[in-house]
Amino acid sequence: MASAPIAIPGVKTAGGNNAFHNFHNDFAHIADPNERRRLALAEIDKAPFGWYHVRACVVAGVGFFTDSYDIFAVGLLTTMLGIIYWEGGKMPTNSDTAIKVATSAGTVVGQLGFGALADIIGRKKMYGLELIVIIFATLAQSLSSDSNSMHIVGVIIFWRVLMGIGIGGDYPLSSIITSEFATTRWRGAMMGAVFAMQGFGQLGAAIVMIVITAGFKGSLLTAKNYASCTGVCGIAVDKMWRILIGFGAVPACIALYYRLTIPETPRYTFDVARDVEQGGEDVQAYMNGQAGGKPDEVARVQGLVAGREKMTVPKASFRDFLSYYGKWKNGKVLLGTAGSWFLLDVAFYGVSLNNPIILTTIGFTGGKTVYKILMNTAVGNLIIVLAGAIPGYWVTVATVDTLGRKPIQLGGFIILTILFCIFGFAYKQIPDHGLLALYVLAQFFFNFGPNSTTFIVPGECFPTRYRSTSHGFSAASGKIGAIIAQAAIAPLRVRGAKPGATGRDASPWLPHVMEIFALFMFLGIFTTLCIPETKRITLEVLSGEQEPESVARGGEGEGEAARKEANADNRSL
């Protein structure tokens, strides 16, 4: 269906740049708010994939690059802090765990807080604020130091909690903004591409570590092990961790302008703000070449009230929230998205944040000098990311709109269950290189599997008025799983270890930890059954706000066909 010609501009919303087109203004001349909403959203849903979609993905994705860089650099951070601040060159397990958990704790607060606020006051007003928090906390963290009154661990924890709040806000905001601007046909690929920047963030952390290790090679060669890394070696390591952490603020600074200048998403403008009516003053102002009209405030309020009364989409309220999720068909979807993300992150973060430890355990690190030890650790992380994580992310991007979200997530949980069972029960019989292969495969199927789809689905299957809150709740459930993994399960790996043990003997309980992770992956199979298939269905049909017949009228039958296909997929699964 061809879009209606623009005759007389009316309401104009602020914002818009090369990355985010302001679709709302294209249909501001239409009087009926429901018709205006239908035409504007149909224009977005049917838009051919173009460069502005690519730019939108990049702007949102740079934030996820930063998030991932900051989160997964923590394994390298704690290693270097141990060299500097502890005799023997190793940080105690409790301190190591506390620093890693701090980011996840802050992330939970950010996901819940920013998620709810984006539904209450708007996506535009919140987007970019979370990046400012990340930039500030990252730079402050890189400039932290020990003192007589406060240990370095306490200082780092404080700043990582604050940084985590910003990172948490990025999850629901980037997901729903990408979702609400995306074309229906390639919405999954666009959201997957944003999330796939996590892989490049992990890659970036490994590359920066390799570069700075090579840069301080002369100083690092003066010590044979962590315990003897003092003097020029200790000074070099102290500079290295600050560079590693501080670099995480660079890409965030680049993306900040674009985030602060995006327009409000049309779906929020129509469904939540309901600011679809403007008076004659705006029309006259436009016709006279003025920047904007200044109508009588009483008349404007009357126009807004009239527009809100005509809108057929339910208005957001606490009572409506309870009513909507009180229905099992809606509540089970939230259970599916939140439960799947929780179960996934127990294993994903339990494994990924301990990459250096696991690489050491399976014999992929070590060396005759501190330089060789740190370089091997960084290269080991690089190999894991390139061999497993990044390919997994981009296979998802390539297939999520054809295979569907639900089959990818279900298949990922099944394969991960098998891999962790092999890792745990056959641990003693498998050589080091075999364990590394299993670990790389696990990283691949995390990302070509539930790690990607748990991010995508919550940004699609909920109504606009609660989409950000629901995504934030689902994501926060995941980070609670990460906290449990870091604080309760992962530390079990050293249970029964003898003082001074190395290699596999240093983590005698690692196979049992992997068996626990296998159980969580198995449970994820059942939570996946609660989510719908969302591929190539409009957001309004998915949330029940629009009937498929209406979509067929506006989209030449594609919505009805997609809905039938999805129902068939759900029955088969």
Side-chain angles (χ1 to χ4, degrees):
M1 185 190 74
S3 59
I6 299 177
I8 304 175
V11 182
K12 295 288 183 180
T13 58
N17 54 42
N18 289 333
F20 293 89
H21 178 68
N22 196 336
F23 286 99
H24 179 274
N25 290 341
D26 291 348
F27 297 95
H29 64 287
I30 299 175
D32 178 50
N34 293 295
E35 181 67 7
R36 183 185 303 170
R37 173 181 182 269
R38 186 185 69 80
L39 289 173
L41 299 187
E43 184 76 6
I44 297 171
D45 291 337
K46 297 186 299 173
F49 191 81
W51 279 110
Y52 60 92
H53 287 123
V54 175
R55 289 191 292 266
C57 290
V58 171
V59 172
V62 168
F64 266 91
F65 176 97
T66 301
D67 299 345
S68 179
Y69 181 100
D70 291 334
I71 290 174
F72 293 101
V74 70
L76 300 169
L77 169 65
T78 55
T79 297
M80 290 187 282
L81 289 178
I83 295 173
I84 302 164
Y85 293 101
W86 276 269
E87 292 185 7
K90 184 178 181 181
M91 180 182 290
T93 301
N94 290 342
S95 298
D96 179 269
T97 300
I99 290 175
K100 291 174 179 176
V101 168
T103 310
S104 295
T107 302
V108 171
V109 176
Q111 287 163 336
L112 294 174
F114 277 86
L117 288 172
D119 278 338
I120 295 171
I121 66 176
R123 285 80 158 115
K124 173 181 170 58
K125 293 179 180 178
M126 299 306 300
Y127 208 39
L129 294 181
E130 84 291 352
L131 214 54
I132 293 173
V133 173
I134 294 172
I135 293 169
F136 177 74
T138 299
L139 294 177
Q141 187 183 164
S142 68
L143 297 174
S144 300
S145 187
D146 203 4
S147 72
N148 293 329
S149 62
M150 184 174 290
H151 198 275
I152 186 66
V153 172
V155 179
I156 294 294
I157 286 175
F158 174 82
W159 290 118
R160 288 195 74 83
V161 168
L162 187 61
M163 182 183 73
I165 293 174
I167 291 174
D170 206 24
Y171 275 74
L173 285 168
S174 289
S175 173
I176 63 172
I177 286 174
T178 304
S179 172
E180 292 177 0
F181 272 112
T183 174
T184 301
R185 184 175 179 83
W186 302 113
R187 186 178 61 235
M190 288 181 63
M191 297 177 71
V194 169
F195 194 66
M197 293 300 288
Q198 274 201 345
F200 289 116
Q202 293 173 265
L203 178 65
I207 291 175
V208 171
M209 185 62 185
I210 290 173
V211 171
I212 59 178
T213 301
F216 289 95
K217 179 177 180 180
S219 300
L220 299 176
L221 287 172
T222 62
K224 293 183 178 180
N225 51 52
Y226 291 164
S228 61
C229 185
T230 58
V232 294
C233 178
I235 293 173
V237 174
D238 191 44
K239 293 178 180 178
M240 287 169 60
W241 78 261
R242 298 178 191 279
I243 296 171
L244 175 68
I245 297 301
F247 187 82
V250 175
C253 291
I254 296 172
L256 185 58
Y257 164 76
Y258 287 98
R259 291 202 171 192
L260 292 175
T261 59
I262 70 163
E264 184 56 84
T265 68
R267 286 180 163 89
Y268 185 88
T269 301
F270 285 121
D271 295 359
V272 182
R274 298 174 182 246
D275 190 7
V276 293
E277 296 291 336
Q278 287 288 346
E281 290 291 332
D282 282 329
V283 177
Q284 292 299 320
Y286 177 81
M287 294 176 67
N288 293 330
Q290 299 173 356
K294 296 180 180 180
D296 178 78
E297 287 302 318
V298 175
R300 186 184 179 201
V301 169
Q302 291 174 344
L304 286 170
V305 170
R308 289 168 182 172
E309 288 177 350
K310 294 178 182 178
M311 291 292 290
T312 57
V313 177
K315 186 177 180 180
S317 67
F318 185 68
R319 177 178 293 182
D320 178 68
F321 181 88
L322 294 179
S323 174
Y324 180 82
Y325 285 111
K327 299 176 182 177
W328 172 242
K329 67 176 183 178
N330 301 324
K332 76 171 184 178
V333 176
L334 185 60
L335 174 65
T337 57
S340 297
W341 211 331
F342 170 82
L343 296 167
L344 162 74
D345 275 6
V346 170
F348 181 73
Y349 281 90
V351 171
S352 298
L353 292 185
N354 293 289
N355 276 355
I357 294 171
I358 292 177
L359 287 171
T360 299
T361 301
I362 63 180
F364 205 78
T365 58
K368 296 181 179 180
T369 64
V370 171
Y371 167 76
K372 289 297 295 182
I373 296 171
L374 292 177
M375 182 62 76
N376 287 341
T377 300
V379 172
N381 278 274
L382 184 70
I383 291 172
I384 289 173
V385 173
L386 288 175
I390 289 180
Y393 281 118
W394 289 99
V395 171
T396 297
V397 173
T399 60
V400 71
D401 285 311
T402 52
L403 294 179
R405 288 69 154 153
K406 196 169 182 177
I408 291 175
Q409 181 166 313
L410 189 63
F413 272 127
I414 292 172
I415 294 173
L416 287 167
T417 301
I418 296 171
L419 289 175
F420 280 119
C421 282
I422 296 173
F423 205 127
F425 291 106
Y427 180 76
K428 294 181 179 179
Q429 289 75 37
I430 301 175
D432 289 345
H433 287 87
L435 292 178
L436 180 62
L438 282 174
Y439 191 58
V440 168
L441 283 173
Q443 290 294 325
F444 178 83
F445 285 105
F446 270 134
N447 299 306
F448 177 46
N451 190 41
S452 296
T453 54
T454 51
F455 173 81
I456 294 172
V457 174
E460 300 177 304
C461 61
F462 300 111
T464 301
R465 61 192 186 278
Y466 304 128
R467 184 170 293 127
S468 182
T469 301
S470 302
H471 193 286
F473 177 80
S474 300
S477 299
K479 287 302 173 287
I480 291 172
I483 292 172
I484 292 173
Q486 286 297 300
I489 300 176
L492 292 174
R493 71 182 188 275
V494 298
R495 185 176 181 181
K498 296 179 180 179
T502 59
R504 297 195 187 193
D505 293 334
S507 301
W509 251 63
L510 182 61
H512 300 305
V513 170
M514 295 299 171
E515 292 163 9
I516 294 172
F517 290 159
L519 174 61
F520 280 92
M521 296 300 94
F522 178 72
L523 295 175
I525 296 171
F526 299 99
T527 55
T528 300
L529 300 178
C530 294
I531 66 172
E533 178 52 66
T534 61
K535 69 174 182 178
R536 295 183 176 173
I537 307 176
T538 68
L539 300 179
E540 285 62 47
V541 172
L542 285 169
S543 61
E545 295 174 350
Q546 192 175 66
E547 293 298 323
E549 289 78 14
S550 175
V551 176
R553 183 168 63 92
E556 300 179 356
E558 293 180 3
E560 178 69 19
R563 183 64 176 263
K564 290 180 178 179
E565 181 183 357
N567 288 337
D569 289 343
N570 289 336
R571 286 194 296 270
S572 67
L573 292 173

